[in-house]
Amino acid sequence: MEAVLAACRAALVRPGPVIALTGAGVSAESGIPTFRGKEGYWTIGARDYHPQELATQAAFRAMPWEVWAWYLYRRSVCRRAQPNAGHHALARLALELPDRFALVTQNVDGLHRRAGSPDAQTFPIHGDISLMRCAADCVLDRWLIPDAVPDLAKGDAVAAPVQALLVCPRCGGMARPHVLWFDESYDEPRFHLDTVRRLARGAALVVIAGTSAQTTLPWHVVQLAASAGATLVDVNLEDNPFGDLAAGSGGVIRGPAADALTAIAAALI
Ligand code: APR
């Protein structure tokens, strides 16, 4: 741990953004399942439904209310959860390093925002489960899912009065969850594609936490930063492909993200 903290401090001397790249492992200690862990959404789902198929535009076109039911169930899980020390540590870093800290998160749970991470420094590259947008993209605006939309338990259906609330406030057509689906691509207006790549190209330090390195834009961020000479640090319970890269750079911390991020924030502030 000490060697990694020293590497983080040394990286701070160089100019350029300090990026935290987070995944589901950072919210695991808040009680939100990861995706590919033993109890993960993609793992558990495999037995009684196929969420990875549900998490597609094709599924939404074919069975919109099953897809909505799945996301309203996950929204309920996120609303019951509280940010943990890891989320709070990154929020503190943003406030202490207002001109150079950026949080790139794959998490749609909103816990970083609820911990106080400022929107101007927070880039949710897979969307936000508390938001909806027009399914026909009549405009690119996002809206909070109305409070009147209740929490759903796993397997609950979306009742007709609730369906009537999930409409685009602009055109009256159907609304959809504001999340990136497996058969969709990253872009700038909705998922900050160009912004996070620009930040990575000049990065001094990238702290990677709680991700299994299975999605493309995070790889772009890490590779662009590495080729710009950034120090890479990986925080995870387990070895993973990003850990292999970080091992040759700032090093790895194999342990819970909440403790590790708290120590890293303290070292950088
Ligand atoms: N502390 C640190 N790391 C943890 C913890 C913890 N308490 N708990 C789990 N982890 C690690 C696991 O070892 C694993 O490497 O977090 C990682 C979680 O990996 P995934 O479940 O694959 O989640 P993530 O990497 O965020 O998935 C990326 O894939 O399916 C898409 O859109 C989805 O945003 C998601 C993306």
Side-chain angles (χ1 to χ4, degrees), residues 142-154:
R142 273 94 73 174
W143 294 274
L144 266 180
I145 294 172
D147 271 346
V149 174
D151 286 350
L152 290 195
K154 199 174 181 177

Side-chain angles (χ1 to χ4, degrees), residues 25 68 104 108 111 113 144 146 163 169 214 233:
W68 259 121
V104 177
V108 298
L111 292 188
R113 186 172 13 85
L144 266 180
Q163 295 182 9
Q214 301 299 311
V233 162

Side-chain angles (χ1 to χ4, degrees), residues 177-226:
H178 174 55
V179 292
L180 180 70
W181 284 329
F182 283 106
D183 55 356
E184 296 184 318
S185 307
Y186 296 99
D187 63 15
E188 174 60 21
R190 288 173 287 208
F191 305 110
H192 313 286
L193 173 64
D194 307 327
T195 301
V196 298
R197 290 205 290 203
R198 177 176 47 73
L199 289 163
R201 282 196 193 90
L205 170 65
V206 182
V207 177
I208 306 158
T211 182
S212 62
Q214 301 299 311
T215 49
T216 52
L217 184 51
W219 266 106
H220 282 176
V221 167
V222 171
Q223 286 166 331
L224 286 169

Side-chain angles (χ1 to χ4, degrees), residues 23-25 27-42 44 70 73-74 77-78 80-81 107 109 154:
S27 294
E29 294 160 68
S30 295
I32 299 182
T34 65
F35 291 91
R36 297 172 183 83
K38 227 172 21 347
E39 304 301 319
Y41 280 124
W42 301 155
I44 295 285
W70 158 246
Y73 152 61
R74 287 185 47 200
V77 173
C78 297
R80 283 196 298 273
N107 300 345
D109 56 38
K154 199 174 181 177

Side-chain angles (χ1 to χ4, degrees), residues 3-263:
V4 172
L5 300 182
C8 289
R9 278 192 290 268
L12 210 54
V13 173
R14 283 198 306 279
V18 171
I19 297 174
L21 172 62
T22 66
V26 171
S27 294
E29 294 160 68
S30 295
I32 299 182
T34 65
F35 291 91
R36 297 172 183 83
K38 227 172 21 347
E39 304 301 319
Y41 280 124
W42 301 155
T43 314
I44 295 285
R47 269 194 291 278
D48 46 40
Y49 49 84
H50 304 288
Q52 265 169 308
E53 289 157 1
L54 273 179
T56 61
Q57 204 179 90
F60 188 77
R61 275 198 297 272
M63 47 183 181
W65 298 118
E66 279 79 2
V67 173
W68 259 121
W70 158 246
Y71 281 97
L72 293 178
Y73 152 61
R74 287 185 47 200
R75 170 179 171 256
S76 317
V77 173
C78 297
R79 279 157 44 118
R80 283 196 298 273
Q82 294 303 324
N84 62 53
H87 299 105
H88 290 294
L90 295 178
R92 228 176 14 259
L93 258 183
L95 299 175
E96 296 283 343
L97 302 175
D99 308 325
R100 57 185 312 198
F101 180 80
L103 172 55
V104 177
T105 185
Q106 299 170 83
N107 300 345
V108 298
D109 56 38
L111 292 188
H112 284 303
R113 186 172 13 85
R114 286 166 52 195
S117 286
D119 286 349
Q121 293 167 268
T122 306
F123 306 97
I125 59 171
H126 291 164
D128 184 322
I129 207 155
S130 67
L131 301 178
M132 64 182 196
R133 66 177 204 261
C134 179
D137 286 323
C138 72
V139 286
L140 281 175
D141 303 32
R142 273 94 73 174
W143 294 274
L144 266 180
I145 294 172
D147 271 346
V149 174
D151 286 350
L152 290 195
K154 199 174 181 177
D156 283 0
V158 183
V162 178
Q163 295 182 9
L165 297 169
L166 298 169
V167 293
C168 169
R170 191 64 61 81
C171 72
M174 180 175 266
R176 57 160 285 171
H178 174 55
V179 292
L180 180 70
W181 284 329
F182 283 106
D183 55 356
E184 296 184 318
S185 307
Y186 296 99
D187 63 15
E188 174 60 21
R190 288 173 287 208
F191 305 110
H192 313 286
L193 173 64
D194 307 327
T195 301
V196 298
R197 290 205 290 203
R198 177 176 47 73
L199 289 163
R201 282 196 193 90
L205 170 65
V206 182
V207 177
I208 306 158
T211 182
S212 62
Q214 301 299 311
T215 49
T216 52
L217 184 51
W219 266 106
H220 282 176
V221 167
V222 171
Q223 286 166 331
L224 286 169
S227 46
T231 297
L232 306 177
V233 162
D234 180 61
V235 173
N236 198 306
L237 294 177
E238 298 167 0
D239 288 340
N240 67 85
F242 285 150
D244 305 341
L245 292 177
S249 178
V252 306
I253 298 176
R254 292 289 164 262
D259 295 346
L261 292 173
T262 302

